[in-house]
Amino acid sequence: MLQDAFGRRFSYLRLSITDVCNFRCNYCLPDGYECDTDRNFLSLDEIKQTAKAFAQLGTEKIRITGGEPSLRKDLPQIIQACKQTHGIKTVALTSNGYKLEEQLPLWLDAGLDALNISIDSFDPRQFQAITGSSKLDTILSGIDNALNAGFKNIKINTVLMREHNAHDLQSFFEYVKDKPISLRFIELMQTGDNKEFYQQQHVSGQHIKNQLLVNGWLPKIRSKNAGPAQVFTNPDYQGTIGLIMPYEKGFCDTCNRLRISALGKLHLCLFSEEGLSIREYLQHDDVTDVKAALVSLLGNKKATHYLHEGFTGATKHLSMLGG
Ligand code: SAM
Ligand code: SF4
């Protein structure tokens, strides 16, 4: 099992398969995707080798992310390859939902277990102002289709922003009233490119936590393998509300995830310095060298991100790494 110097064990891999995106979220790619990296993304074969090596080191869950992963035509094959890797129990996808309605059947056939869709506003005009996309309706009907198909493992990610959505929490609560969906508010994080935006828009999740508690929501007991969200339930609501507060003390203590970029670099933290390439080891059937490289590189993982001190590492925006 992959374990770092602080005793944290890593059973979860976030695998970015592209850094290209068709949205221009104001906190991530406000000017849209700019082709400033080599676009030689990991091939399907390299992805299979990566999944195999991680699985042999105890990884049980792979989240496919991006950029926008659904822009890759071979996404269904990638889902299937991860799912068929011995030892991988869960394959999840994070997407902006742009292709959800059209591609959901392909993703489900490929074996997708869990889906996170990012929605920062339920008001189409505000949604368009945030993302540059007018597709909110299509995204919402894609989610309805997934629910109607009996697919229950759906989460919505909402980045909290002072002026764009934090004043209208009611529409988010309403959305989960009759839907078995877990909606999670994520505190806006500072990256290399968004310092000014961050300073204007960052709000602490504490404000929501207080609102939830006075409105009858109850904190759910955290299970051993739970992710970073603090989850709240309410008997009057089918769905749940989660809070992801990366600036909270102790946030990194339970870190259980590692990241591989679309160019095959290991990132020990969302906010580490340059990634560490494992690509040269992915060219053979035998994954012994990849595993040795992963174990050795993990020795450098730090106890925490230093975001509180404004340190964002080499991460210009999260579409580089998938959040
Ligand atoms: N394009 C896909 C999407 O938007 O779901 C996957 C990649 S995106 C980088 C993954 C998640 O990171 C999204 O939920 C997005 O809202 C979130 N994210 C991006 N930049 C962020 C930031 N600066 N702070 C907090 N969350 C961020
Ligand atoms: Fe694209 Fe996702 Fe970044 Fe929005 S958050 S610009 S959808 S990568």
Side-chain angles (χ1 to χ4, degrees), residues 46-160:
E46 288 173 316
I47 289 171
K48 284 182 186 166
Q49 292 306 94
T50 305
K52 187 166 147 191
F54 271 91
Q56 289 186 13
L57 290 167
T59 296
E60 295 184 340
K61 173 172 175 179
I62 298 180
R63 174 171 300 285
I64 299 167
T65 176
E68 178 44 43
S70 64
L71 296 182
R72 257 185 84 153
K73 291 203 171 61
D74 57 355
L75 175 60
Q77 287 88 326
I78 293 172
I79 295 172
Q80 189 175 42
C82 292
K83 186 69 184 174
Q84 287 176 348
T85 304
H86 183 69
I88 299 299
K89 295 183 183 151
T90 307
V91 179
L93 177 70
T94 300
S95 167
N96 62 24
Y98 179 81
K99 296 214 174 180
L100 174 62
E101 199 178 31
E102 175 196 323
Q103 295 195 351
L104 178 75
L106 298 176
W107 302 346
L108 296 184
D109 280 354
L112 188 72
D113 297 296
L115 184 59
N116 283 18
I117 299 292
S118 306
I119 299 181
D120 300 325
S121 174
F122 288 108
D123 169 18
R125 273 188 308 170
Q126 186 66 261
F127 182 86
Q128 183 155 13
I130 297 169
T131 63
S133 164
S134 58
K135 292 282 177 191
L136 178 64
D137 281 359
T138 325
I139 297 167
L140 294 177
S141 59
I143 294 177
D144 288 341
N145 291 350
L147 290 172
N148 292 336
F151 187 75
K152 294 276 186 283
N153 211 346
I154 305 177
K155 293 191 177 117
I156 290 181
N157 290 346
T158 301
V159 177
L160 262 180

